[in-house]
Amino acid sequence: MSHGSERHERRETYGAYGSGHRVPAPDRTGQAEAFDAIGSRYDDAFPHKEGQLAAVDALLADLAPGSRVLEVGSGTGVPTSRQLVDAGHTVVGVDLSAGMLELARKNVPGAEFRQADLASLRPEVGEEPGELGQFDAVTCFFTLLMLPRTEIPTALRLLRSMLRPGGRLALSMVEADLDDAEIPFLGHTIRVSGFLRDELRQVVRDAGLEITGEHTYAYAPASTEVPPEHQLFFNCRRAGK
């Protein structure tokens, strides 16, 4: 559930996704600090990631050799960044947590990792951490859970803008009717949101993404502190120009 912000700054980088306006970036310091503290225990609590591995396998089948791929919410880099690098692709990972990024750089030295908020990502190339250009594919596994519901549609439109025309998005969420709810998570408190399946499908399509594949996993984490969940995986394609 890890995902992307520069830790202790409130930067004027959270654009209105196409309007050209800049507004203050949301303060996700608490989320970052929780994942800094959780560190490698995240992979211990979620040791089996069959759905995530299968979603990346489906993505790899659609990618040309040497594609450029962005992992949003890269966490420890395992398994997704490693899976993509091992397949010969160029990988850029972004995450909220400096502690997670330290682990990712050790786990997947062949990828590039940056500390940046999802909200700061831009399809332009520049000197800011979030100015990354466009990609052939984006992966975003459980990262949007960390956002309030009102932010998720705009985040999806932003991710679409990070894709080249026809580019692919591998997305996952936990199916839940929640909006910015506090939950205990591995000894810390985090805030999460979710949608029920039909509503999530509509949110994804409204963002200009075509759903090309979908699968669901019932998942029981190894940690007794984390309840069982239904994980939704969508493989998507950027629709239109």
Side-chain angles (χ1 to χ4, degrees):
M1 287 187 187
S2 184
H3 101 118
S5 174
E6 290 184 293
R7 240 177 105 188
H8 300 300
E9 296 182 51
R10 254 178 101 75
R11 308 189 58 188
E12 300 292 319
T13 55
Y14 194 10
Y17 302 110
S19 71
H21 299 300
R22 298 287 177 107
V23 296
D27 184 359
R28 292 194 249 269
T29 303
Q31 304 277 58
E33 290 176 345
F35 281 98
D36 285 348
I38 289 167
S40 61
R41 289 192 297 129
Y42 181 85
D43 287 334
D44 293 337
F46 294 86
H48 306 295
K49 299 185 175 70
E50 287 88 351
Q52 194 165 327
L53 291 165
V56 174
D57 282 340
L59 177 66
L60 291 173
D62 289 328
L63 290 182
S67 290
R68 187 169 190 251
V69 185
L70 172 66
E71 184 179 11
V72 179
S74 50
T76 66
V78 179
T80 298
S81 286
R82 178 180 289 169
Q83 197 175 359
L84 292 162
V85 167
D86 287 349
H89 299 294
T90 298
V91 177
V92 178
V94 297
D95 203 275
L96 174 71
S97 164
M100 288 288 193
L101 289 168
E102 183 178 355
L103 292 168
R105 292 182 181 113
K106 292 176 182 176
N107 288 334
V108 195
E112 175 189 353
F113 293 99
R114 297 192 190 190
Q115 189 174 9
D117 194 301
L118 184 159
S120 76
L121 301 184
R122 295 291 177 270
E124 299 82 31
V125 177
E127 296 183 0
E128 294 294 332
E131 294 176 337
L132 301 174
Q134 288 187 307
F135 293 80
D136 301 298
V138 173
T139 66
C140 185
F141 293 124
F142 307 110
T143 302
L144 301 188
L145 291 174
M146 302 294 115
L147 309 182
R149 266 192 185 178
T150 55
E151 202 175 326
I152 292 172
T154 48
L156 282 167
R157 290 195 293 273
L158 174 59
L159 294 183
R160 180 188 182 277
S161 78
M162 301 295 291
L163 289 168
R164 296 177 177 129
R168 305 290 173 154
L169 169 67
L171 172 71
S172 68
M173 290 281 285
V174 173
E175 184 174 23
D177 187 10
L178 294 173
D179 184 13
D180 203 29
E182 287 191 354
I183 65 165
F185 187 74
L186 299 179
H188 299 269
T189 299
I190 60 172
R191 306 187 72 88
V192 300
S193 300
F195 295 100
L196 299 181
R197 192 167 324 190
D198 288 345
E199 190 174 5
L200 180 60
R201 287 190 191 109
Q202 192 60 52
V203 170
V204 169
R205 290 172 180 141
D206 288 347
L209 295 158
E210 175 191 353
I211 299 171
T212 59
E214 177 181 337
H215 56 279
T216 305
Y217 282 78
Y219 191 91
S223 170
T224 57
E225 294 180 28
V226 183
E229 57 192 32
H230 284 91
Q231 299 178 344
L232 305 177
F233 290 86
F234 292 164
N235 282 81
C236 309
R237 182 181 67 85
R238 174 173 170 163
K241 296 182 179 180

